[in-house]
């Protein structure tokens, strides 16, 4: 949900609104971005351009026991200003480059990384730097294939692999750290100072600057462009610290595709913003903002910012993480189809860039997750279906919605309440006129093992009878005006509001204590709640209706004296983090929290889920939502989704059905709608639409083991839950830009959601010479070594869902009203043989709610199918204990030395069995199907195309009926033919 531009009368909500681009800056309206682009333009106009930043070679100081060094840096245009450089190589080969102003008038903001990083990275003690006349170098990696070179004059950092440059910092000379200065010092510097004789370079033949200009004009420009004050619409930014922006070019000379820097509504392979035939005219903006009805194709900033960018080619993958918390713009150019340039322009902060060497996508995800953490393993129920709207209006309304879902046999796990549950939008405080019995209402939902999610926004109504606001003021943890003393007041849903400064440590325990549900002495807490009530954090960019760009004034002051401009993009993550901790810690032992956030930063994946905000009920938004969720997965944030149906508008039945087809293959599945839309719960649809949606949701529930297993892998390895083609097939150039189909984890499931009106078929790209089976019809499709497009049916009731040959997919097929009711249900195994007659899959299970898996209470199985002998037409299907084989890789950040297969959870599911095995692609009818060491099993065989045939058509299908094999046990089924 989102605010209007200026809301003084909060009840006056217009029914039809569109994105108000004039509320948000373009680069040309942001002084520091304008200066950064002008710097780039000057560099292009002058072929002799070179960076004025140089390293003082005599200052280089190598660490005695670590792969780190420091050095002094000076700017030839400001020789009196000192900078410090710190370069280090981590244990895993990641290179960290930091530069800061030394002994300046003020301290630049240097805490962004401390909020994003999981922990301080370990610096290698095995890699050594060598110092030469022209720079410092280090070689490491397999056969010393990676080299990091730091050139002295000008300052330039290069990461190479096998002698080829992969990542270059300041190669085009766009590094510029605007040092702190005063108006008086600037005026004095202009008095009678001539430019250097060399102009732009040491080549005396170059004559570039006229003598009348100050010495810095060739680099910084002739004017003080919004250095000291800046206006936008009716707002004025007083800029008490003057100019302090940071410009840096980061180039990828051998990579033609770049991915990441979410959140933007655009293609996965990011289009260009600069150069000839640039797709966009404005850079990609990272500035967390409450953008109302955002465009479906734009570089506009949205609700979250992850300054992490991957560059990919058929030869390698590299990446950069730029740890900066202020507003940042990124220009992307493509000088050739095989190379990419980027230019990062930030409003404030130090230079703190991590270079990730890869060289594979999997390596990149591992390196990035070691920095910022892996996605949290969610509660199992959180992967089910969430039903929301603004707003369910009463306790009786919630009960009625639940009743209708059950009457129509439509599964659902969570019901949500938006802001209207609260009295005068005082969050935590129920409006008892319409919710007279909130605890009893929640317990009615819990009776079917469902959960509630209730919104808690960050703006606090400024009234004395609101205990949350009263305690915040008494603790003195409210964000301050620029004087650093006066509490800031803004407007949001609550009317006159205050915002807690979650950077202030005094706020942390207090905030977590508010969520306690049992009566305790001391401060106020939420006793009208239950431990099955989870939380939705909205409006945490922060959204402020009467603020500049619908947000907080940049000169506001946070804990430590930092201005809001320094940490704006981090603000929402802290709110999310503390709320997740609060929900986790309200019980003993702790339970896994579910907290949805709208605003996020690098590292937010550790705390819960996000959604793509206030989308529209249009085909364009449905399609771009798929790309946005893929981009978020690339950015490390796997638990993501878009509002099913679109937040705004009234989609017709066809569109709504298709949107559910998108939603059930999103990691986070929620339907949501604006207060002015018509009710559109799935049970309100007429048939056949209602039955189609019911079947889709049942498919989601059947596949919950797939999703949960994929999340386990993501939580340990950092690999995304949704994987675009370049991740799954990094050498297949034809697939690099594909962003309308994807794989689910390592399951082998390939999905292409239908996002076109009136579609009856879709084209799916198969990237390899392998068989792929239609999940429903068992039609066998054949790929090719160089990739191949196949046409698959996509009528309204159909979803293009293929199973890659070589996969084993575990599902639970019995329809239930909610996912916890499935805990003792049996499993179906789909064995999709590859062209060599083999297959493999994994299954991970734990109790889905607690942290007992961190004490070893889980099962992790490896399912395999292989030929008993080289020329055999049969197959041996087995289940093995993968946890026993790899105990140290089973659970995130828990290095088990051994695994106890008789753990409490394994015992609790001792009666859970495999009730069906379906084998696709056998070459012949079996002569025998039996459990190893047991009797013949019941089975049916339908002849068809074999995996090894190279033909297309309906595959052969073997169905083994109720083999009564324990899902947690070792076993083997031998199929002889």
């Amino acid at each position: 949900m989102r605010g209007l531009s200026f809301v003084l009368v909060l009840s006056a909500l217009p029914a039809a609104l569109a994105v108000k681009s004039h509320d948000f800056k373009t680069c040309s309206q942001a002084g520091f971005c304008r200066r950064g682009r002008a710097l780039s333009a000057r560099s292009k106009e002058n072929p002799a351009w070179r960076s004025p930043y140089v390293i003082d070679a005599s200052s280089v100081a190598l660490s005695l026991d670590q792969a780190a060094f420091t050095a002094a840096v000076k700017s030839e245009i400001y020789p009196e200003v000192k900078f410090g450089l710190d370069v280090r190589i981590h244990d895993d080969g990641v290179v960290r480059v930091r530069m800061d102003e030394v002994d300046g008038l003020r301290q630049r903001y240097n805490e962004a990384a401390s909020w994003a990083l999981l922990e301080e990275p370990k610096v290698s003690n095995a890699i050594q730097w060598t110092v030469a006349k022209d720079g410092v170098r280090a070689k490491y990696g397999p056969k010393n294939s990676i080299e990091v070179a730091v050139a002295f004059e000008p300052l330039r950092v290069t990461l190479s692999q096998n002698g080829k440059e992969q990542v270059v910092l300041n190669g085009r000379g766009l590094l510029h750290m605007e040092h702190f200065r005063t108006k008086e010092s600037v005026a004095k510097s202009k008095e009678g100072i001539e430019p250097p004789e060399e102009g732009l370079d040491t080549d005396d033949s170059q004559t570039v600057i006229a003598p009348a200009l100050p010495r810095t004009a060739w680099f910084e420009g002739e004017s003080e462009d919004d250095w000291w004050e800046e206006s936008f619409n009716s707002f004025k930014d007083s800029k008490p610290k003057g100019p302090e922006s940071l410009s840096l070019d980061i180039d990828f000379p051998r990579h033609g595709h770049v991915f990441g820097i979410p959140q933007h509504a655009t293609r996965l392979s990011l289009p260009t913003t600069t150069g000839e035939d640039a797709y966009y005219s404005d850079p990609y903006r990272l500035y967390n903002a409450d953008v109302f009805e955002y465009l479906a194709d734009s570089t506009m900033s949205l609700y979250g910012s992850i300054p992490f960018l991957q560059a990919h080619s058929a030869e390698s993958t590299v990446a950069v993480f730029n740890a900066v918390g202020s507003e940042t713009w990124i220009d992307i150019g493509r000088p050739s189809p095989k190379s990419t340039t980027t230019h990062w322009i930030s409003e404030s902060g130090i230079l703190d860039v991590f270079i990730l060497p890869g060289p594979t996508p999997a390596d990149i995800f591992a390196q990035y997750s070691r920095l910022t953490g892996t996605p949290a393993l969610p509660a199992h129920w959180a992967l089910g279906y969430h039903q929301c709207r603004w707003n369910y209006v009463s306790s009786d309304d919630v009960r009625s919605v639940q009743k209708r879902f059950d009457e129509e046999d439509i599964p659902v796990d969570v019901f949500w309440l938006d802001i209207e549950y609260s009295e005068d939008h005082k969050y935590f405080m129920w409006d008892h006129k319409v919710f007279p019995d909130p605890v009893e209402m929640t317990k009615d939902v819990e009776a079917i093992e469902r959960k509630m999610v209730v919104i808690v926004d960050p703006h606090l109504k400024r009234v004395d009878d609101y205990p949350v606001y009263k305690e915040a003021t008494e603790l003195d943890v409210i964000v301050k005006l620029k004087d650093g003393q006066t509490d800031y007041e803004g407007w949001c849903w609550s009317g006159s509001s205050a915002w807690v400064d979650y950077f202030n440590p005094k706020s942390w325990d207090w905030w977590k204590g508010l969520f306690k549900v049992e009566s305790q002495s001391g401060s106020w807490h939420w006793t009208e709640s239950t431990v099955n009530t989870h939380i939705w954090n909205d409006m945490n960019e922060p959204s402020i209706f009467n603020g500049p760009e619908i947000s907080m004034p940049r000169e506001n002051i946070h804990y430590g004296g930092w201005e809001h401009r320094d940490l704006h993009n981090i603000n929402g993550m802290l709110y999310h983090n503390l709320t997740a901790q609060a929900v986790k810690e309200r019980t003993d032992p702790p339970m896994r929290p579910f907290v949805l956030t709208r605003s996020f930063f690098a590292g937010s994946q550790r705390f819960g889920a996000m959604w793509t905000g206030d989308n529209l009920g249009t085909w364009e938004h449905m399609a771009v939502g798929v790309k946005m969720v893929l981009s978020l997965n690339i950015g490390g944030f796997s638990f993501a989704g878009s509002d099913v149906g679109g937040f705004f508008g009234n989609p017709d039945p066809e569109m709504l059905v298709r949107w559910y087809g998108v939603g059930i293959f999103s990691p986070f599945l929620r339907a949501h709608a604006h207060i002015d839309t018509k009710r559109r719960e799935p049970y309100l649809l007429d048939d056949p639409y209602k039955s189609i949606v019911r079947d889709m949701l049942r498919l989601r529930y059947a596949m919950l083991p797939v999703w949960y297993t994929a999340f386990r892998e993501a939580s340990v390895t950092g690999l995304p839950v949704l994987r675009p083609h370049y991740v799954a097939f990094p050498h297949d150039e034809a697939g690099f830009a594909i962003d309308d189909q994807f794989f689910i984890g390592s399951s082998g499931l390939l999905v292409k959601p239908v996002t076109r009106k009136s579609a009856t078929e879709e084209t799916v790209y198969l990237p390899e010479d392998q068989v792929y089976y239609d999940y429903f019809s068992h039609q066998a499709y054949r790929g090719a070594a160089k990739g191949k497009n196949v046409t698959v049916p996509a009528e309204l009731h159909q979803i293009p869902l293929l199973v890659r040959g070589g996969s084993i997919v575990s599902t639970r097929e019995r329809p239930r009203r909610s996912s916890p009711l499935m805990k003792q249900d049996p499993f179906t195994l789909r064995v999709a043989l590859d062209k060599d007659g083999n297959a493999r899959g994994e299954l991970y299970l734990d109790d889905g709610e607690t942290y007992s898996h961190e004490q070893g209470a889980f099962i992790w199985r490896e399912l395999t199918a292989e030929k008993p002998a080289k020329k055999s037409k049969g197959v041996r299907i087995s289940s093995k204990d993968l946890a026993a084989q790899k105990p140290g890789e089973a659970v995130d950040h828990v290095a088990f030395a051994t695994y106890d297969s008789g753990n409490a959870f394994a015992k609790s599911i001792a009666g859970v069995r495999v009730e069906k095995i379906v084998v696709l692609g056998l070459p012949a009818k079996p002569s025998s199907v039996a459990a190893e060491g047991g009797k013949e099993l019941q089975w049916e065989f339908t002849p068809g195309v074999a995996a090894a045939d190279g033909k297309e058509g309906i595959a052969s299908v073997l169905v083994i009926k109720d083999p009564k094999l324990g899902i947690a046990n070792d076993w083997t089924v031998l199929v002889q033919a």
Side-chain angles (χ1 to χ4, degrees), residues 891-909:
V891 176
D892 181 35
H893 280 86
V894 182
F896 294 111
T898 59
Y899 168 75
D900 178 11
S901 61
N903 64 76
F905 174 74
K907 290 178 179 177
S908 75
I909 61 167

Side-chain angles (χ1 to χ4, degrees), residues 62 142 150 181 201 257 313 327 378 429 433 453 496 519 623 655 696 737 781 957 961:
L62 302 183
V150 182
R181 63 198 86 182
D201 207 338
H257 292 267
S313 71
E327 177 187 0
M429 316 300 290
K433 294 178 182 177
V453 168
S496 175
S519 297
M655 181 188 294
M696 287 178 171
Y781 298 94
V957 180
K961 301 179 180 181

Side-chain angles (χ1 to χ4, degrees), residues 40 46 111 161 166 168 309 338 356 366 408 413 456 461-462 487 637 793 807 818 831 909 922:
S40 177
N46 296 281
E111 297 180 357
Q161 291 181 1
Q166 306 289 306
V168 182
L309 185 76
K338 299 289 186 180
L356 286 62
E408 298 291 347
D413 263 73
V456 177
K461 190 175 184 67
R462 297 175 72 251
D487 288 355
F637 210 149
S807 307
S818 67
V831 181
I909 61 167
L922 277 172

Side-chain angles (χ1 to χ4, degrees), residues 651-882:
D652 63 30
E654 180 195 0
M655 181 188 294
L656 190 56
V657 168
R658 290 300 194 192
W659 216 307
Y660 274 96
V662 170
I664 65 168
F665 291 108
S666 297
F668 174 55
L669 167 59
R670 181 183 76 157
H672 186 35
H674 188 274
I675 196 169
D676 290 331
T677 63
K678 298 176 182 177
R679 287 281 180 113
R680 48 169 129 108
E681 288 76 14
Y683 54 72
L684 295 175
L685 289 166
D686 293 329
D687 273 326
Y689 308 108
K690 178 168 60 179
S691 295
I692 295 172
V693 171
R694 180 192 296 114
D695 289 344
M696 287 178 171
L697 290 174
R698 285 181 173 179
L699 177 63
R700 168 68 173 216
Y701 276 73
M703 288 188 168
L704 286 178
V706 173
W707 289 100
Y708 200 61
T709 300
F711 265 98
R712 184 219 66 87
E713 185 178 17
S715 74
V716 173
T717 68
L719 282 165
V721 170
L722 297 192
R723 299 181 190 170
H725 273 260
Y726 91 89
V727 174
F729 294 90
H731 304 296
D732 177 28
E733 293 193 41
F736 291 170
I738 292 176
D739 55 12
D740 58 357
Q741 61 181 65
F742 50 84
F743 291 88
I744 301 174
S746 299
S747 68
L749 291 171
L750 174 59
V751 189
K752 180 162 186 178
V754 180
T755 59
R756 298 182 300 115
K757 184 177 177 60
S758 303
T760 59
E761 59 184 26
E762 282 287 355
T763 299
V764 177
Y765 176 74
L766 303 183
E768 59 180 331
D769 181 15
Q770 186 56 269
V771 59
Y772 282 71
Y773 304 91
D774 185 289
Y775 184 86
F776 307 101
S777 71
H778 304 148
Q779 171 77 21
Y781 298 94
R782 303 284 171 173
K786 293 185 177 180
K788 178 183 175 183
N789 288 314
V790 297
T791 301
V792 301
E795 298 283 353
L796 189 58
H797 66 285
Q798 296 171 314
I799 301 172
L801 175 61
L802 305 182
V803 188
R804 183 187 181 207
S807 307
I808 299 179
V809 180
S810 304
T811 59
R812 281 173 150 159
E813 302 289 337
R814 298 190 180 186
R816 301 291 185 186
R817 291 184 289 176
S818 67
S819 65
L821 301 176
M822 305 170 72
K823 286 185 176 181
Q824 296 295 319
D825 282 355
F827 281 83
T828 292
L829 305 182
R830 284 176 173 79
V831 181
L833 298 176
D834 65 15
K835 61 182 184 178
D836 296 322
N838 302 316
R840 183 187 182 280
E842 294 182 13
L843 174 66
Y844 174 84
L845 296 171
D846 58 30
D847 70 13
E849 294 182 304
T850 72
Y851 290 89
S852 62
H853 61 295
E854 295 181 353
Q855 283 74 51
F858 62 89
I859 68 164
W860 183 25
R861 309 297 303 179
E862 180 182 33
L863 305 165
T864 59
E866 54 191 7
K867 289 183 177 181
K870 187 173 182 180
K871 295 185 179 181
S872 171
K873 293 184 178 180
V875 65
R876 177 186 286 111
I877 305 167
S878 301
S879 173
K880 303 172 185 176
D881 195 338
L882 195 54

Side-chain angles (χ1 to χ4, degrees), residues 78-130:
Y78 290 107
E80 72 281 4
V81 180
K82 295 182 290 185
F83 301 93
L85 181 72
D86 182 324
V87 183
R88 53 189 61 190
I89 304 173
H90 300 165
D91 274 346
D92 62 356
V94 170
V95 182
R96 186 177 188 179
V97 181
R98 286 188 289 184
M99 192 175 96
D100 193 2
E101 189 175 348
V102 177
D103 298 330
L105 293 177
R106 299 178 180 86
Q107 174 64 56
R108 300 180 74 91
Y109 185 68
N110 58 4
E111 297 180 357
S114 67
W115 296 112
L117 297 182
L118 182 66
E119 58 189 5
E120 188 64 24
K122 293 181 179 178
V123 180
S124 171
N125 56 16
I127 300 169
Q128 294 185 339
W129 292 98
T130 58

